[in-house]
Amino acid sequence: MSRPRYYITTPIYYVNDLPHIGHAYTTIACDVMARFKRLDGYDVMFLTGTDEHGQKVETAAGNAGLDPRTFTDQVSRNFRDLLPMLDIGNDDFIRTTEDRHRISVQEVWRRLVARGHIYLGKYAGWYSVRDEAYFADSELVDGQAPTGAPVEWVEEPSYFFDLSKWQEPLLRLYEENPDFIAPRSRRNEVVSFVSGGLRDLSVSRTSFRWGVPVPDDDDHIMYVWLDALTNYITATGFPDTGCERYRQFWPADLHMVGKDIVRFHAVYWPAFLMAADLPVPKRVFAHGWWTNEGQKISKSLGNVIDPLDLVETYGLDQMRYFLMREVPFGNDGDFSQGSMIGRINNDLANDFGNLAQRVLSFVARHGEGRVPDPGPLAPPDLALLEQADCLLDALRKEYANQAFNRALERVWEVVGAANRYVDEQAPWQLRRSDPARMATVLYTLMETVRHLAILMQPVVPGSAGRMLDQLGIAADAREFSSIGADHRLVAGTPLPAPSPVFPRFRTDG
Ligand code: ME8
């Protein structure tokens, strides 16, 4: 039987800058989602990559004294090299400068032309290079783009896409697919933007060269957002719509983006696709924005956070956990050293790490280093096991909404219940009085930790893996299909020597 498919994408990042915490955030969130789906039996395609064309990148190359190709080859590597260091399990990495992509974008263009959605005209208006976006006079705020980026006046021949005709189809799309844009606040924003009417969109420029030439008119370079958005279908094999990858994975299940680029993904992209007679993606989730100790993160403020510094200081899984746990996914978040250390020491070291360590070291010392014999289970044991067994269902619901923080809260409810159970059952007191009951309690706890570790793999893959090693769980018994009563630990299985998985973060050096 073929497995269900799941296709998830990150934005492709501009290579004018070094990767920072914001890029790492989106990519880690996608990785967490992709791992969850893989463990849940899906055939997953997870795509990330780099957006290498356009005026912004051309200018950055000039500033670096390099031609754009040499420059993009170098800086794209920074993004690609970061992935293994963040334990990102992407299946493909796309660069918009690749041949496969040029072919795909030009085919989208031809489809739009063939269906009468492109016409030649003249653009006269504002353009922000930093946003790579056009703005009407009425949209400017104090002479700048709403993002605060400077704008320049542009007047040049341009091809236009008839976006104005797509207002009704877009509103219908949002209406018929209430989950197309999430969270709800972003959906409302987009619906009200589109309801206000759409202007035709300039989709080519003649004043710079670094991009994909318009087919049959190479004085024009395609608008970088039409080029960039198309990456999502390029990677599925488009224009070969008969190929297996395309048939299996398009339309995408989820485009994960930051709130800054929701309009491009939820308005322009579906309009381009509908106009080209191609299926639209199922969902766009726009997450919030990170600040650093309360301040906007920017190069000019000198407070850009390098994700590798965080990994080095706090540990990779600790950072991944913090980013997924600290803020409701979709809201803005503030990075602060204090909150990071709090999460590491309270949630990971005290609650979860200590639970596993207490149980495993007790079994190593007083249980001959083997999985204890469960014996007959009493009501409190059954209650805890039931909570652990039911957790997957709860997590599926939260992950379906990308509610990563709530999913982690659910996990911690079981962590809390298990810690209370240890205190109540006090296995150390049973050692002499009732060794059989002690074995039951330890078995129940090990089973609970097994569930917790399996279900925590998406967020903290390395640490959860080490925990499962210590529980003696084989590599092929770590998927979600091993959750529940049918796959209980087998009494007598020898266990490796335990060691703490989540150490405390010490500030005293
Ligand atoms: O927009 N907090 O690329 P980009 C949270 N090339 N997320 C942040 C962030 C922050 N402070 N800063 C950046 C582009 N991000 C286009 C995309 S897609 C077809 C083309 C994340 O390099 C967030 O996901 O400016 C945001 O949407 C993305 O980086 C922007 O990356």
Side-chain angles (χ1 to χ4, degrees), residues 10-18 20-27 49-53 56-57 79 96 130-132 224-232 256-262 264-265 269 285 287-292 296-298 331-333:
T10 73
I12 47 170
Y13 303 109
Y14 286 128
V15 289
N16 63 311
D17 220 342
L18 287 174
H20 63 69
I21 187 71
H23 306 120
Y25 181 52
T26 318
T27 310
T50 42
D51 187 354
E52 306 188 8
H53 287 139
K56 170 149 111 170
V57 173
F79 283 87
T96 52
R130 198 160 92 196
D131 301 320
E132 296 281 19
V224 65
W225 271 101
L226 173 56
D227 165 349
L229 288 160
T230 302
N231 90 86
Y232 301 130
M256 185 84 85
V257 298
K259 64 179 183 180
D260 52 326
I261 55 175
V262 66
F264 300 96
H265 284 80
W269 180 225
F285 191 106
H287 66 63
W289 211 242
W290 281 91
T291 50
N292 183 359
K296 186 177 160 42
I297 298 177
S298 88
N331 292 9
D332 291 339

Side-chain angles (χ1 to χ4, degrees), residues 277-320:
D277 226 350
L278 292 164
V280 300
K282 293 180 201 155
R283 182 171 167 90
V284 175
F285 191 106
H287 66 63
W289 211 242
W290 281 91
T291 50
N292 183 359
E293 308 274 353
Q295 273 192 319
K296 186 177 160 42
I297 298 177
S298 88
K299 239 179 16 186
S300 51
L301 288 173
N303 64 350
V304 172
I305 304 173
D306 179 345
L308 291 182
D309 285 347
L310 294 187
V311 171
E312 204 168 294
T313 310
Y314 301 107
L316 172 57
D317 282 347
Q318 283 74 2
M319 173 180 87
R320 289 174 61 112

Side-chain angles (χ1 to χ4, degrees), residues 134-199:
Y134 303 94
F135 293 102
D137 249 336
S138 58
E139 286 176 292
L140 298 192
V141 182
D142 299 330
Q144 293 183 319
T147 55
V151 290
E152 58 188 42
W153 184 257
V154 171
E155 232 178 284
E156 60 189 22
S158 170
Y159 285 99
F160 284 83
F161 169 68
D162 60 1
L163 183 64
S164 57
K165 298 209 183 97
W166 295 94
Q167 181 185 20
E168 284 313 315
L170 283 168
L171 290 173
R172 216 173 316 125
L173 170 73
Y174 309 146
E175 176 81 28
E176 287 168 7
N177 303 278
D179 295 328
F180 178 71
I181 310 165
R184 191 146 287 272
S185 54
R186 299 286 161 231
R187 178 189 149 80
N188 296 341
E189 219 174 82
V190 169
V191 170
S192 96
F193 171 73
V194 174
S195 303
L198 296 169
R199 285 177 302 131

